[in-house]
Amino acid sequence: MASIASLTLDVADLTAARSFYTEAFGLDTRLRLRASEEPSSGFRGFTLSLTVSQPATVDHFVGAALAAGATSLKPAAKSLWGYGGVVQAPDGAIWKIATSAKKDTGPATPQIDGMVLLLGVADVTASKRFYVEQGLAVAKSFGRMYVEFETGPGPVKLGLYRRRALAKDAGVSPDGAGSHRLTIGGDAGAFSDPDGFAWEAASPAVTV
């Protein structure tokens, strides 16, 4: 079963990005950063989510991210599925911090339970077929709307969402151009998917 071993974000200021991800989420050892000046504008076509145990922990991470320089896209709030908020890091990456719990069971703790990469794609059915051919196994599928793949031994879950729907969920315009500024490392090998997301062969390096 193919899985994701690492995520690399291309950033303009490597030192600033390292500082942000350490202060905001404590991801200094869980996320790879690479200096790059590739042009990119607007929505980059993906979001990263941190799943946590309770609303107080969502508030903790959202507050830490804003204090470290992030911009609020959607303030943390209750919804039908739980509680969560969306921020944009100084490097432009969009992060959602969420929990399925609606009530706190204790004090907030800086504990991340999981990480989810959602790719906004033009055709969910076609992209699903492509990834299955690369060796990924489908865990959940909701027609042309959403697909979630089996995690396997990797620490990052992967899902496909329609680009416009993903942008709406993140609170941004779906318009964007240029580099995704993201490289996905996994054991499926090196390739680019139908929407231009780049994969590279990588050994396990991310732990959650």
Side-chain angles (χ1 to χ4, degrees):
M1 183 185 300
S3 64
I4 296 176
S6 64
L7 295 175
T8 301
L9 294 178
D10 289 349
V11 300
D13 188 328
L14 198 56
T15 300
R18 283 174 177 160
S19 177
F20 171 80
Y21 286 113
T22 299
E23 293 176 22
F25 305 136
L27 292 176
D28 53 313
T29 61
R30 303 176 184 178
L31 189 67
R32 293 175 177 174
L33 301 171
R34 179 170 54 202
S36 173
E37 297 292 344
E38 281 194 75
S40 181
S41 63
F43 183 46
R44 296 178 185 170
F46 73 92
T47 64
L48 288 158
S49 296
L50 300 178
T51 56
V52 299
S53 62
Q54 59 180 353
T57 304
V58 171
D59 290 336
H60 165 80
F61 281 116
V62 169
L66 295 178
T71 301
S72 176
L73 296 179
K74 281 190 174 182
K78 290 182 180 179
S79 67
L80 291 174
W81 49 262
Y83 184 83
V86 183
V87 300
Q88 187 166 30
D91 64 88
I94 294 174
W95 291 80
K96 184 173 186 177
I97 302 93
T99 178
S100 59
K102 295 186 178 181
K103 293 184 179 180
D104 293 323
T105 56
T109 57
Q111 176 65 41
I112 297 170
D113 297 332
M115 187 183 295
V116 182
L117 169 63
L118 285 180
L119 303 181
V121 302
D123 186 330
V124 171
T125 301
S127 291
K128 170 187 172 182
R129 185 183 310 115
F130 175 85
Y131 276 109
V132 168
E133 291 172 353
Q134 306 309 312
L136 279 75
V138 174
K140 299 177 183 178
S141 181
F142 300 95
R144 297 178 178 274
M145 286 294 297
Y146 176 77
V147 175
E148 182 178 305
F149 295 98
E150 294 284 358
T151 306
V156 182
K157 291 184 179 180
L158 175 67
L160 306 177
Y161 209 1
R162 289 195 300 184
R163 181 184 172 97
R164 285 189 172 276
L166 182 60
K168 182 178 180 180
D169 182 64
V172 297
S173 166
D175 298 330
S179 172
H180 291 300
R181 301 181 74 83
L182 169 73
T183 302
I184 306 162
D187 52 12
F191 57 86
S192 290
D193 78 1
D195 294 272
F197 288 101
W199 286 63
E200 65 183 7
S203 57
V206 184
T207 57
V208 173

